[in-house]
Amino acid sequence: MDAEYRGAVAGMADTYGKALPAVGDWVNGVTSGKAWAGYVLSAEPGRIAVECGGAWIVVPESHLARM
């Protein structure tokens, strides 16, 4: 990637906020002291549904450690 592209992406993140993970992306995080990891089933502002080994959880977007 060139510097102009990186600058444009950074400017969009500042203007519009951080992008949500896409369906199927691998994510992980910690909620109420419990670590979890799995694939995104759905994503909307403020909440992410994650499939974690046969079960699913809904977590706040702020609890994502990696997207």
Side-chain angles (χ1 to χ4, degrees):
M1 290 188 268
D2 64 350
E4 183 178 353
Y5 175 80
R6 286 192 300 270
V9 170
M12 289 180 68
D14 288 344
T15 301
Y16 299 107
K18 194 172 183 180
L20 292 173
V23 171
D25 283 355
W26 179 263
V27 293
N28 61 31
V30 177
T31 301
S32 298
K34 303 285 186 182
W36 51 265
Y39 292 98
V40 174
L41 295 174
S42 68
E44 56 190 59
R47 53 187 274 161
I48 311 293
V50 181
E51 188 276 320
C52 300
W56 60 270
I57 60 172
V58 176
V59 297
E61 181 183 348
S62 62
H63 290 196
L64 295 177
R66 185 219 159 272
M67 309 194 315

